[in-house]
Amino acid sequence: MDPKVEQFMAMIKAKNPAQPEFHQAVHEVAESLIPFIEENPKYKHAKILERMTEPERIIIFRVPWINDKGGVEINRGFRVEMNSAIGPYKGGLRFHPTVNLGILKFLAFEQVLKNSLTTLPMGGGKGGSDFDPKGKSDNEVMRFCQSFMTELQRHIGPDTDVPAGDIGVGGREIGYMFGQYKRIRNEFTGVLTGKALEWGGSLIRPEATGYGAVYFAQEMLNTKGDSLEGKTVAVSGSGNVAQFTTQKVNELGGKVVTLSDSGGFIHDPNGIDDEKLAWVMDLKNIRRGRISEYAQKYSCEYYEGKRPWGIPCDVAFPSATENEVNKEDAEVLVKNGCKVISEGANMPSTPDAIEIYQNNKLLYGPGKAANAGGVAVSGLEMTQNSMRLPWSREEVDQRLQTIMKNIHASCVEFGTESGGYINYVNGANIGGFVKIANAMLAQGVV
Ligand code: NDP
Ligand code: 2IT
């Protein structure tokens, strides 16, 4: 390891004990940025990277609520306000039992660079709770969301901090939280994104992360004169990102053969076509069932407790959660001929999996570039809220495509190696960093 990176990481680990995901995210970025900062000493003297890894503010709070049996439940709520150099804090809320401060700091740190890459004026943040929505009634979810927002509302606002969805937070939860914010503050504003169309949402926001990850894969394939047409595709997850990734792959002539959830994965060699996808959307978004039911309905294999990476594919879209592709998975993907990885999820690949992709010269789009379409359309939702005018589907989709193309171009600009290989990790890290670093220099030591 570069001794400067090692020294920096020793400081990060000492200051942030027991936060392995945060260390992992910072380490990946430090490996790209420290050599770049050495060549650009103005960033070094102003300690930009040291400041960027220290959140501007963290809010941690109690979230008490009453379950359907009348019992009192207590969860922990968080908001990590990481960086506001280029705009209000912006980033999702995650409701999942694994949520803790280290996970949210990793997500907030990634978000800062991701949001910068979109070219829109958004700083970075992330929040959530260890609340588990699984098995809860609609009323329980509503009471939880109301209690969560009762505290969070005093810390956020349309020009301060604008949360959105992530794992376990979709349209239903955004609705309950928006209702409570409006009631307490007596303001109808664009304080959350991912709202429904009737009350300030944007067309294409639900689709945006998945669509964007597919547009990014198309851009990467384009550099080789190739496309998604006729490609066999493995997708993990079966939530928001996985669903709309599948929809766009189908539209572009690829064939998605896997989906998963925390129970296991299904393999449908005939492809998950639009009709089957509509059934999955009903299963996951309305009936809130398990992906194993797909195997019964469409008579295909279900692999309990397994991840889909052993199924031969040309293109993989990890779209469930962090560290879901490890070294062994990456080796199997490469052995089976996979050529493209476009990350819908945040940090789904472990560092040694990334090493395998890069040693084998795969087209590898890291999450902060490939999944930036979601927050990009959140940014467009904020624009429409400010204008008090909605844009058409075509207008938003066109802007999303342009943004994903520009992110790709930025990765090419900052990540192309002397042999011609595009190192999208370096490209995204440096491309995202420069704008924030220059803003921080201009704004002084704050
Ligand atoms: P959803 O809650 O809609 O879906 C999450 C999916 O991933 C579910 O299928 C879930 O299975 C599975 N999953 C979650 N945690 C685990 C786990 N620990 N192990 C195995 N499977 C798991 O979330 P999204 O689709 O919104 O988010 C998916 C990923 O995309 C996350 O990494 C998120 O941070 C990232 N992302 C999301 C964006 C958005 O706009 N929503 C934007 C950019 C990135 P189960 O139902 O069994 O829990
Ligand atoms: O990880 C992400 O980029 C998101 N969950 C979306 C954030 C947003 O503000 O739309």
Side-chain angles (χ1 to χ4, degrees), residues 90-92 111 114 126 162 164-166 193 205 346 371 374-375 378:
K90 180 82 195 89
Q111 197 80 48
K114 183 194 307 191
K126 200 88 187 189
V162 184
D166 193 77
T193 61
R205 176 62 190 89
N346 285 306
N371 72 37
V375 74
S378 278

Side-chain angles (χ1 to χ4, degrees), residues 94 96 114 134 166-168 205 209 237-241 260-262 290 319-321 344-346 371:
R94 176 178 292 190
H96 194 272
K114 183 194 307 191
K134 275 201 198 81
D166 193 77
I167 292 176
R205 176 62 190 89
T209 310
S238 49
N240 172 269
V241 179
S260 72
D261 62 21
S262 52
R290 308 307 299 156
S319 310
T321 193
N346 285 306
N371 72 37

Side-chain angles (χ1 to χ4, degrees), residues 73-88:
E73 306 247 4
I74 298 107
N75 287 101
R76 187 171 294 169
F78 303 87
R79 186 71 182 168
V80 178
E81 296 184 334
M82 199 76 186
N83 193 301
S84 62
I86 62 168

Side-chain angles (χ1 to χ4, degrees), residues 226-298:
D226 204 350
S227 78
L228 275 166
E229 176 86 42
K231 296 285 189 292
T232 299
V233 174
V235 175
S236 65
S238 49
N240 172 269
V241 179
Q243 291 168 16
F244 289 104
T245 294
T246 303
Q247 188 175 85
K248 188 51 84 176
V249 169
N250 286 345
E251 196 184 313
L252 297 178
K255 182 166 84 171
V256 175
V257 295
T258 66
L259 285 174
S260 72
D261 62 21
S262 52
F265 80 93
I266 57 108
H267 177 211
D268 184 346
N270 297 322
I272 299 154
D273 61 21
D274 287 347
E275 196 183 316
K276 294 172 183 172
L277 178 62
W279 186 88
V280 170
M281 288 180 169
D282 183 68
L283 173 75
K284 284 290 169 183
N285 310 345
I286 311 291
R287 289 183 283 138
R288 299 185 191 270
R290 308 307 299 156
I291 201 66
S292 57
E293 296 168 45
Y294 181 103
Q296 288 148 24
K297 170 84 180 165
Y298 294 110

Side-chain angles (χ1 to χ4, degrees), residues 29 337 429:
V29 170
N429 289 337

Side-chain angles (χ1 to χ4, degrees), residues 13 70 80 146 149 243 265-266 268 347 376 399 430 446:
K13 287 178 185 167
V80 178
Q146 289 176 339
M149 186 52 86
Q243 291 168 16
F265 80 93
I266 57 108
D268 184 346
M347 205 169 75
R399 286 178 186 270
I430 300 170
V446 289

